[in-house]
Amino acid sequence: AAARLVCIASQDLEDIDSADMVVVFNPDVARAIGRGGRHVETGYALARAKPVILVGVRSNVFHWLPDVVLIDGWEELIDTLQRRVE
């Protein structure tokens, strides 16, 4: 089981390294669930100077950094991504 978890975590970091940006889904209900992986991934993305779009609510100190773009939901995410590719 441990080897599988190491593989998953390593793949997540490799995915962030190869990404142009990172979209973090953090709805209000997520505050009470999960294991915090999205927060580690957010911090790693910021450390790698990747643009971060946060969909939902701020629930971590790093979500307040000026480079983190906060948006409300799917429609705004689609609009934001379309503007970035134009």
Side-chain angles (χ1 to χ4, degrees), residues 5-82:
L5 296 175
V6 168
C7 183
I8 291 169
S10 297
Q11 184 62 55
D12 285 351
L13 297 179
E14 289 175 21
D15 289 345
I16 292 169
D17 284 336
S18 66
D20 294 327
M21 74 174 57
V22 175
V23 177
V24 179
F25 293 95
N26 194 47
D28 194 36
V29 297
R31 291 180 191 213
I33 59 174
R35 297 183 192 112
R38 67 189 174 281
H39 301 307
V40 173
E41 292 166 348
T42 301
Y44 185 77
L46 291 168
R48 305 294 288 176
K50 303 287 181 170
V52 174
I53 298 175
L54 178 65
V55 182
V57 296
R58 292 180 174 112
S59 62
N60 182 285
V61 66
F62 294 101
H63 295 166
W64 292 93
L65 289 173
D67 291 340
V68 175
V69 175
L70 177 67
I71 61 176
D72 289 327
W74 284 103
E75 288 182 23
E76 191 176 352
L77 174 61
I78 292 167
D79 290 344
T80 300
L81 294 174
Q82 286 176 335

